[in-house]
Amino acid sequence: MTNPAVPWEVEGIYFEACNCEAVCPCYSASPPTYGFCEGPCVWHVAKGRYGETSLDGLNAVMVQRTEGFMRENPWRCRCYLDQRATPEQFEGLRQIFTGAGGGHLGRVFGGLWQVESVEAAAIDVAIKGWQHRATLGDKLRFAVGRLLTEAGPVLCRLPNVPGAAAEAQEDWFQDGAWRFSHPGKNALTTTFRYQRGTAALAGP
């Protein structure tokens, strides 16, 4: 449920991968390479606040699968939020990164994301230039590999800012019956800044 009384703002690094051939056709509003799109979405919050609660340094991961074009069909989603978060931080992450708290994600994807679960998890994110890596316990390994520099910047539909096209050096997930592995397929790195209301990131 959205809490309109709580303003928030977050910014940081976003990276994703999927089973499509690079560059993912979904970025240009075309059907996915193989008729469906699945993979991880990773947000590292460099700086953020949910109301008066700092979200600096926390992470969120969503694993999704979509049949057909992602702007027209529902996404099956599982969300994993940083287990280091306090209860207040966890609620902030949940509101923001499931789209429940409005902002860009809520406006664009609120009617598409079908969130099956939200749980705390040990998320490790390493950022070094454009080389990013994320692990989710023994459930997920994701590493951005070779940049597709010849492709130039592409439009990342989430969150609609220019991103660098790349390939996933490693991209596998296993949680119950849901399992995949898509090394060498599409990946993308970019930055994000989302907000709802006036959270005053630069405040005292």
Side-chain angles (χ1 to χ4, degrees), residues 101-122:
H104 171 79
L105 298 180
R107 287 193 307 272
V108 177
F109 300 100
L112 295 174
W113 287 359
Q114 298 182 346
V115 179
E116 296 182 349
S117 60
V118 181
E119 62 183 84

Side-chain angles (χ1 to χ4, degrees), residues 8-9 12 23 43 54 81-82 84 107 133 144 151-152 178 194:
W8 55 262
E9 187 170 4
V23 174
W43 293 268
S54 172
L81 306 178
D82 206 313
R84 299 174 299 159
R107 287 193 307 272
R133 181 178 295 271
V144 176
W178 193 356
Y194 311 141

Side-chain angles (χ1 to χ4, degrees), residues 35-132:
F36 71 97
C37 195
E38 71 177 357
C41 305
V42 180
W43 293 268
H44 170 69
V45 180
K47 189 176 183 180
R49 187 171 295 277
Y50 181 75
E52 297 301 315
T53 301
S54 172
L55 302 177
D56 294 4
L58 296 177
N59 304 299
V61 174
M62 182 177 71
V63 177
Q64 65 80 27
R65 178 176 171 119
T66 309
E67 306 294 337
F69 178 45
M70 304 179 82
R71 286 299 185 95
E72 299 175 350
N73 296 282
W75 303 27
R76 175 190 176 193
C77 304
R78 293 187 185 179
C79 294
Y80 304 88
L81 306 178
D82 206 313
Q83 69 177 14
R84 299 174 299 159
T86 65
E88 293 78 13
Q89 290 173 323
F90 188 91
E91 176 61 12
L93 294 174
R94 186 189 71 81
Q95 287 282 332
I96 295 167
F97 294 108
T98 66
H104 171 79
L105 298 180
R107 287 193 307 272
V108 177
F109 300 100
L112 295 174
W113 287 359
Q114 298 182 346
V115 179
E116 296 182 349
S117 60
V118 181
E119 62 183 84
I123 304 172
D124 183 49
V125 173
I127 305 292
K128 186 178 181 181
W130 60 265
Q131 296 177 311
H132 311 325

Side-chain angles (χ1 to χ4, degrees), residues 3-27:
N3 186 346
V6 180
W8 55 262
E9 187 170 4
V10 288
E11 60 184 59
I13 299 293
Y14 171 80
F15 54 113
E16 68 179 22
C18 69
N19 62 300
C20 289
E21 299 295 336
V23 174
C24 179
C26 295
Y27 301 152

